[in-house]
Amino acid sequence: MFILKKNESLDISKKLVQNTGLKESLDLLKEKNHAGAVEPAELLRQILGLSACNLVRTMKESFIAREIMGEDQQDIIDDYVVESLRHQSLVGLKDGAERMDWCQEILSVAEGLQVFWDKTEDSKGPGPRYFCVKEVLSRLGDSLNYELRDAFFEFTYLQHKYFIDFFRALLKPPPDPAPGAAEQA
């Protein structure tokens, strides 16, 4: 079991934001929002809600859930949302209090998207991430913007892959010492 030390969830969250290219993805999604069809604040709220939902669901993968337990998972998710807000440039946030209000709104969006994992039992279908993206696009009201739609799908599926890769590396057991290494030390 992986037990988090003080501030380790924040360190993990910072690395997740960096390793998944979140800032670059946000910039790309902003660019695909042609002529500002969607208000930047709502775009950010939905993108980060989708991202947080993606992280929540990724952390339910058995190899992660076995190693990182509930409260530690929640700390990572909370810190990830806060770090995501720090690294974005779509909306200017005044202070930590405003960032925390945004964090709660984003976690609420993420929670609302969890329903797609309950509804999706067809393992041959497109999967819950697909339906989450469709829901976010319908909330944004820009369903005819195919570039934005495609960017959202790519963002969601790549981010899940990056999350999986990150946690595999984080939770990988240390290599066994070479035979005789203890004797030489």
Side-chain angles (χ1 to χ4, degrees), residues 17-72:
V17 168
Q18 181 181 7
N19 291 349
T20 60
L22 181 67
K23 182 178 180 348
E24 295 80 8
S25 294
L26 288 172
D27 290 343
L28 176 67
L29 290 165
K30 178 182 175 183
E31 177 187 314
K32 300 298 180 186
N33 181 23
H34 298 298
V38 178
E39 181 215 353
E42 188 57 25
L43 183 64
L44 180 64
R45 195 174 287 110
Q46 294 300 319
I47 292 169
L48 293 184
L50 179 64
S51 180
C53 178
N54 208 356
L55 179 58
V56 167
R57 297 315 302 190
T58 300
M59 292 183 78
K60 293 188 183 296
E61 296 282 339
S62 61
F63 81 96
I64 299 170
R66 259 192 324 267
E67 297 296 324
I68 302 175
M69 299 300 166
E71 189 174 312
D72 288 338

Side-chain angles (χ1 to χ4, degrees), residues 123-143:
S123 62
K124 294 179 184 174
R129 282 182 180 79
Y130 169 84
F131 293 110
C132 284
V133 170
K134 295 284 281 182
E135 175 64 19
V136 164
L137 289 168
S138 74
R139 291 177 185 177
L140 294 175
D142 197 16
S143 60

Side-chain angles (χ1 to χ4, degrees), residues 1-2 63-64 66-67 164-177:
M1 181 186 319
F2 192 82
F63 81 96
I64 299 170
R66 259 192 324 267
E67 297 296 324
I164 291 289
D165 292 347
F166 175 84
F167 282 107
R168 281 196 205 289
L170 178 70
L171 300 173
K172 185 168 80 171
D176 290 331

